[in-house]
Amino acid sequence: MDDRTTETSLSLTKFGIGQPVRRSEDPKLVRGEGCYADDFNRPGQIYAVIVRSREAHGILRAISTDAAKAMPGVLGIYTAADLSAYGPLKCNMPLKSRDGSPIRYTPRTALAGDKVRYVGDPVVCVVAETVAQAKDAAEAVAIDIDPMPVVLTPSDAVKAGAPLVFDAVPNNIALDYHYGDAAKVAEAFAKAKHVTRLETSNQRMVVNAMEPRAAIGEYDTASDKWTLYSTSQGVHGMKTSLMDILSAPADKVRVVTGQVGGSFGMKASVYPEYICILHAARVLGCPVKWTDERSGSFLSDHHGRAQDMVMEMAFDENAHILAIRLTGYGNMGGYLAQFGPLLPTGNQVKNIASIYRTPLIEVATKCVFTNTNFVSAYRGAGRPEGNYYIERTLDLAASELGIDRIDLRKRNMIRKSDLPFKAASDMTYDCGDFLGVLKQALDAADYAGFNKRRRESRKRGLLRGFGIGCYLEVTAAPGKELGAIHFEADGTVTIITGTLDFGMGHATTYAQILTDLLGVPFDRIRMIEGDSDRMAFGGGSGGSRSVMFVGAALTESAAIVIDRGKQIASHVLEASASDIEFTAGRFVISGTDRSIGLIELASRLRDGLKLPDGVPSSLNIDHIVKDPVPSAFPNGCHIAEVEVDPETGAVQVVRYSAVNDLGTIVNPLLVEGQIQGGVVQGLGQVLLENAVYDSDGQLVTGSFMDYAMPRAHDTPMINVLSHPVPTKSNPLGAKGCGEAGTSGGLPSVANAVVDALSEFGIKHLEMPMTPARIWQTIQDAKARRAS
């Protein structure tokens, strides 16, 4: 075996699929050599600042910019009238109301022109030579707004006589969504032995990605081409939206994204600021840069969750689920975001039944406008919400029925023998071992020793709770992805893909996949994402789709490379192509030691290797996966233990185990990090986070002084375990992992807190379960008992 074969074999052993490879991108990032959105700078750039509404609702009477225009360094000031040539920002969700009418689309202009609809609504864009000059001028802009009454909650917004956010939308209802056979569901509830009803909310969340949004707009007059350097979750999706807004063909729009410091769904769409700076760049003839500040991001980034629901569950005499009914509201805020209406509607349908044999489901939700910030995808995008509703309701039902909560889950879980299982959501689960996952989770959490730990906590004056959070997610809708493979002159191999890494470790993961497929040494593989001019197609990242989609694309691309390589190698090795085998990165004549490596073959082609007509002249491939990659069904069981101090209401999560079926795991080290991060976001929602508006529509929690985020001391050691059942719906057998931690973390921590409080007769507690709320709930429970 020559040295190159040895190198390839070692690479496969140490860096192939299933190996815990450390992120190859990290050394550059920890040295500060990454290029995030605010690190982009262009020659001659100038700076933009956005003037936002300080009123939550009102008619725009006048905008005075004269004083601002006269200030030093000011180059341009723009209002909605200046941007009238551009199209609106759109929500393109193909959803219909129960009467068959389409969602009431309310296209949004980049700057408010008639009235403002929430505090933070952008009204004016100021451009100056420096940021300081732009800020000074922005403060000199005078906006005359005639205030109007505000409406902040969906339940108030739908009432007769409520202020209308859009005059053309009666009762502020953008969508009156319905799924399921209402008559059959009603019949199931009528004959039920027991019905559990839970009225609950998923509170509004501020996304708070580590990196605020930033962008540079650039316009080349000579080529009539727009370029946006911006955060995103996929440059092709951003480009497609911009083409529509700018009325520009594909070859006249370019989007470039470097490193992204977190997104969680928030950076996926075009924002108003991007249109403002592109317009200014065109008018002023130089690049225009805008960088948000943290105080601005609280108001300008879309928010997450914001659902108010009633969950009902009907049981027969054996405590088997007969039907589930979910009704309520999704708060859309002041505008329809790109994905906003999907979260409380279609994504609830897909996820609400989870891993349970549920014959019937009905989802009836209204998407409602309010005078608050617009709402869209936030880690899980409806999936954690759905899993929270069913897991909280099962715990409540177990208490009402007098049945052990674990037994109730087991009675209703889908068995292996049921698979494939056609769920009431119309989704077909192809594989899984839900009972096996539950058992492994209970063992990992030492459920048998919980009562002993509870007694020990009680000796210290603390209440201990045990919370189970089973989950199943339906990942992103079926789609395609690019899996380009290019062989470079320096002996490296480049993967080009339309996904985008905002913290997931794509460069490492994709290199592991390609090492497995082609035997290329791990350290010779590079990745390109984030430049729409460098790729033919791209679906972006979101919905835990990236590994499944890119894995399928690279598998097909690698097969094409190997087939081409065999045809080329047959002439180099002077053998029939049918006698050429490919193994460990080399083309070998069967039964001989004559071979040529894939990298060497690519080099020979670049050096002008002469080939007969009809033989491929290149190994480079720009391939889009042939058939749409289906959704997958990652699932698991998370178990949290908490201690509650009844004297103060303070909560500490003291133990946490997470068993997950994510199918084939490419890199267990990265998956563990993804799960841990998701769990912390779930924990943060349960215990700490909440976006609060006052009666005038002002965001009270508009800074980190007021909006509580989880810190290291709030977080336990998280024991992440795997129970893989690979799917056959994609070549890798992967199921996606990016949002699973939140789907398990949200219900498990919530259930643990309620379990700790159960000795006071407390059955439910709304999130966030803050010390103040817990303390007051305990006092109220004591008062009820005393009376």
Side-chain angles (χ1 to χ4, degrees):
M1 183 181 294
D2 64 28
D3 292 339
R4 291 168 297 181
T5 304
T6 301
E7 178 187 10
T8 300
S9 299
L10 288 172
S11 189
L12 284 166
T13 302
K14 295 178 63 176
F15 300 104
I17 292 174
Q19 301 302 312
V21 181
R22 291 190 177 185
R23 286 167 39 117
S24 58
E25 46 269 84
D26 282 353
K28 180 175 76 172
L29 298 181
V30 298
R31 290 195 300 265
E33 297 170 1
C35 186
Y36 292 85
D38 191 48
D39 295 322
F40 279 104
N41 290 290
R42 302 294 294 164
Q45 70 188 23
I46 51 181
Y47 300 88
V49 168
I50 303 297
V51 182
R52 304 184 183 280
S53 172
R54 298 181 181 181
E55 298 285 345
H57 198 198
I59 302 296
L60 269 169
R61 296 298 184 192
I63 301 172
S64 177
T65 60
D66 292 344
K69 286 179 180 177
M71 296 182 73
V74 174
L75 301 172
I77 299 180
Y78 308 103
T79 65
D82 300 302
L83 275 60
S84 60
Y86 306 109
L89 284 69
K90 298 178 182 177
C91 166
N92 293 317
M93 289 287 107
L95 297 169
K96 293 185 178 181
S97 289
R98 65 172 71 214
D99 63 3
S101 61
I103 187 172
R104 292 181 180 273
Y105 292 115
T106 51
R108 178 186 186 182
T109 56
L111 294 172
D114 55 350
K115 69 174 184 175
V116 294
R117 293 177 169 87
Y118 68 97
V119 171
D121 207 350
V123 180
V124 179
C125 175
V126 177
V127 181
E129 293 174 358
T130 69
V131 174
Q133 290 171 333
K135 284 183 176 181
D136 288 344
E139 292 183 2
V141 173
I143 303 175
D144 183 7
I145 297 175
D146 189 2
M148 300 172 66
V150 301
V151 62
L152 304 174
T153 66
S155 57
D156 287 338
V158 300
K159 292 178 180 176
L164 294 180
V165 180
F166 290 91
D167 293 342
V169 182
N171 301 110
N172 294 303
I173 299 174
L175 177 70
D176 183 9
Y177 179 86
H178 184 267
Y179 175 91
D181 190 322
K184 288 184 178 180
V185 170
E187 181 182 351
F189 272 86
K191 70 179 184 181
K193 184 72 172 178
H194 179 82
V195 172
T196 292
R197 184 181 188 273
L198 176 67
E199 185 174 347
T200 188
S201 297
N202 260 263
Q203 75 269 32
R204 177 183 288 263
M205 303 288 287
V206 179
V207 178
N208 283 319
M210 185 177 293
E211 175 203 22
R213 289 186 300 115
I216 294 178
E218 193 170 56
Y219 181 78
D220 187 329
T221 305
S223 62
D224 190 31
K225 185 169 183 175
W226 310 84
T227 299
L228 180 72
Y229 301 87
S230 170
T231 57
S232 76
Q233 286 190 198
V235 291
H236 261 276
M238 191 80 76
K239 172 179 175 174
T240 300
S241 295
L242 285 174
M243 287 165 52
D244 179 54
I245 296 168
L246 301 173
S247 298
D251 63 337
K252 300 300 182 183
V253 178
R254 180 190 182 199
V255 177
V256 179
T257 298
Q259 271 82 37
V260 179
S263 176
F264 314 111
M266 182 268 290
K267 295 173 181 174
S269 306
V270 171
Y271 278 81
E273 298 89 356
Y274 307 160
I275 308 306
C276 294
I277 62 175
L278 286 168
H279 170 75
R282 185 182 192 182
V283 171
L284 299 174
C286 52
V288 180
K289 184 172 185 176
W290 168 81
T291 300
D292 211 352
E293 296 180 348
R294 186 61 66 179
S295 58
S297 68
F298 271 86
L299 300 176
S300 68
D301 298 344
H302 78 235
H303 291 173
R305 308 288 189 240
Q307 296 179 15
D308 302 310
M309 296 292 182
V310 176
M311 177 75 165
E312 297 170 283
M313 192 175 294
F315 295 90
D316 68 12
E317 62 276 8
N318 296 312
H320 293 143
I321 299 171
L322 295 173
I324 288 173
R325 183 162 53 203
L326 183 72
T327 57
Y329 301 104
N331 192 336
M332 297 292 99
Y335 297 93
L336 285 181
Q338 183 174 357
F339 303 108
L342 179 64
L343 315 183
T345 59
N347 276 9
Q348 294 305 311
V349 170
K350 289 181 178 180
N351 292 276
I352 195 66
S354 187
I355 58 175
Y356 305 105
R357 295 192 303 268
T358 307
L360 295 166
I361 62 172
E362 181 182 3
V363 174
T365 52
K366 292 180 173 66
C367 296
V368 180
F369 290 115
T370 63
N371 295 120
T372 60
N373 201 355
F374 55 111
V375 174
S376 193
Y378 172 66
R379 198 170 193 164
R383 302 198 286 284
E385 296 96 308
N387 284 286
Y388 170 82
Y389 299 137
I390 192 165
E391 290 297 300
R392 277 296 305 122
T393 307
L394 281 170
D395 261 25
L396 181 59
S399 174
E400 293 174 350
L401 290 165
I403 297 175
D404 180 78
R405 53 192 164 164
I406 296 171
D407 180 52
L408 183 60
R409 286 172 168 83
K410 287 181 176 179
R411 290 190 195 194
N412 288 282
M413 277 185 182
I414 299 164
R415 267 57 175 176
K416 284 184 179 180
S417 58
D418 297 327
L419 297 166
F421 181 83
K422 182 68 174 292
S425 62
D426 207 30
M427 306 298 295
T428 299
Y429 306 162
D430 61 322
C431 64
D433 180 16
F434 310 125
L435 282 165
V437 167
L438 174 61
K439 182 183 184 304
Q440 184 178 349
L442 292 169
D443 290 343
D446 185 25
Y447 179 57
F450 172 70
N451 285 332
K452 179 181 177 182
R453 294 192 295 277
R454 172 175 269 176
R455 290 191 296 270
E456 291 171 348
S457 295
R458 187 170 283 118
K459 289 177 183 178
R460 293 182 283 113
L462 303 175
L463 309 173
R464 197 176 190 103
F466 187 93
I468 301 170
C470 297
Y471 74 90
L472 178 140
E473 297 188 312
V474 181
T475 61
K480 297 188 175 184
E481 191 49 79
L482 172 69
I485 302 172
H486 290 188
F487 294 83
E488 310 295 352
D490 62 358
T492 61
V493 178
T494 300
I495 298 170
I496 306 174
T497 170
T499 59
L500 203 125
D501 185 343
F502 35 96
M504 298 88 84
H506 284 181
T508 302
T509 304
Y510 297 167
Q512 288 180 256
I513 295 170
L514 198 63
T515 291
D516 242 44
L517 293 171
L518 291 180
V520 178
F522 176 84
D523 60 2
R524 296 190 189 181
I525 300 172
R526 307 289 180 262
M527 181 192 72
I528 291 176
E529 294 181 313
D531 186 344
S532 64
D533 275 6
R534 299 288 301 272
M535 55 197 66
F537 176 82
S541 293
S544 301
R545 72 188 288 277
S546 297
V547 166
M548 296 184 298
F549 284 47
V550 174
L554 288 177
T555 298
E556 292 182 7
S557 296
I560 296 170
V561 169
I562 291 169
D563 179 66
R564 288 182 181 180
K566 286 181 178 179
Q567 296 179 58
I568 299 165
S570 70
H571 292 277
V572 175
L573 300 174
E574 298 178 336
S576 170
S578 61
D579 291 332
I580 303 293
E581 297 177 349
F582 182 76
T583 179
R586 301 189 69 78
F587 296 96
V588 183
I589 301 176
S590 300
T592 75
D593 59 359
R594 294 182 59 203
S595 67
I596 185 170
L598 177 61
I599 301 296
E600 182 185 352
L601 192 62
S603 177
R604 294 278 296 274
L605 286 168
R606 283 192 301 272
D607 291 341
L609 178 66
K610 300 298 183 183
L611 296 167
D613 292 341
V615 176
S617 59
S618 174
L619 292 172
N620 290 351
I621 178 73
D622 291 275
H623 177 69
I624 300 168
V625 69
K626 182 180 178 182
D627 297 315
V629 180
S631 300
F633 307 97
N635 62 87
C637 179
H638 290 200
I639 295 179
E641 284 188 36
V642 302
E643 286 186 328
V644 178
D645 184 344
E647 298 301 317
T648 64
V651 179
Q652 188 70 40
V653 183
V654 292
R655 289 170 67 100
Y656 199 100
S657 297
V659 177
N660 307 279
D661 170 13
L662 307 173
T664 300
I665 292 176
V666 177
N667 188 318
L669 190 64
L670 301 191
V671 166
E672 184 174 357
Q674 286 283 337
I675 295 296
Q676 290 171 340
V679 167
V680 173
Q681 284 189 261
L683 177 155
Q685 180 174 353
V686 175
L687 301 179
L688 298 164
E689 300 182 55
N690 192 18
V692 178
Y693 287 90
D694 69 12
S695 59
D696 295 322
Q698 298 291 332
L699 184 63
V700 177
T701 53
S703 76
F704 287 145
M705 293 293 290
D706 311 291
Y707 187 94
M709 295 276 284
R711 301 185 180 186
H713 68 262
D714 298 306
T715 306
M717 294 299 295
I718 299 170
N719 182 26
V720 179
L721 301 168
S722 182
H723 191 106
V725 182
T727 179
K728 294 182 180 178
S729 62
N730 64 77
L732 294 186
K735 293 182 177 178
C737 74
E739 293 149 311
T742 309
S743 288
L746 203 59
S748 62
V749 176
N751 281 341
V753 175
V754 176
D755 182 56
L757 302 177
S758 61
E759 67 179 65
F760 294 104
I762 295 167
K763 304 289 187 178
H764 180 65
L765 194 64
E766 286 299 299
M767 301 183 293
M769 299 176 183
T770 60
R773 178 170 283 173
I774 291 172
W775 183 87
Q776 187 61 59
T777 302
I778 291 174
Q779 303 315 304
D780 293 344
K782 288 179 176 179
R784 284 194 300 270
R785 284 185 175 181
S787 64

